[in-house]
Amino acid sequence: MNYVYAAIWFAIGLMLMIRLGREGKRFYFAGGVFLLLGAWWLFMELFPGHPFFNGWMGWVFKIVLGVSLVVLCLIFLQQKNRNEPPDDPPFDAPKEEPKADQPSEHSDAPPKE
């Protein structure tokens, strides 16, 4: 079953790098993180008794992966805030009434002169 997880991580990483890499360098970094995660799952499945990810090396790997994911979250939030449209008035804000000398948007009556 871990082969499926590894394949999913590899697919996500490659998709981020190949399809979305043209939009920005941040997607290469994100794809690299997911490729690293896929390599980790595949390595752990192929060599279950190998102590590479146990002990201090395992902690270093997990810390590097965690810091990478935090950096990706910060990049995502920064990009989201940059692309956010200006504040719209709340739904319950009072609407302005058309002036008496101007026709309303839905009126078929000609403007008063």
Side-chain angles (χ1 to χ4, degrees):
M1 185 66 185
N2 287 337
Y3 293 117
V4 175
Y5 290 129
I8 290 171
W9 294 130
F10 281 129
I12 292 171
L14 289 174
M15 185 172 41
L16 283 170
M17 293 176 85
I18 293 171
R19 288 195 162 202
L20 299 175
R22 289 176 250 137
E23 293 182 20
K25 293 180 183 178
R26 64 189 176 276
F27 291 111
Y28 290 118
F29 177 70
V33 169
F34 283 105
L35 288 177
L36 180 66
L37 194 58
W40 178 49
W41 277 90
L42 185 63
F43 187 82
M44 293 302 290
E45 182 64 25
L46 292 175
F47 307 105
H50 198 277
F52 182 70
F53 293 112
N54 296 333
W56 69 272
M57 292 182 76
W59 282 104
V60 169
F61 178 77
K62 291 172 187 174
I63 289 171
V64 167
L65 189 62
V67 168
S68 300
L69 291 175
V70 167
V71 168
L72 287 173
C73 288
L74 292 175
I75 291 171
F76 173 75
L77 289 174
Q78 180 185 22
Q79 186 69 26
K80 182 181 176 202
N81 290 338
R82 187 180 305 155
N83 291 338
E84 197 169 295
D87 291 336
D88 292 331
F91 291 113
D92 58 345
K95 296 181 181 179
E96 293 182 21
E97 294 294 326
K99 295 181 182 176
D101 58 337
Q102 294 179 352
S104 67
E105 295 174 7
H106 305 290
S107 173
D108 292 334
K112 295 180 182 179
E113 293 182 16

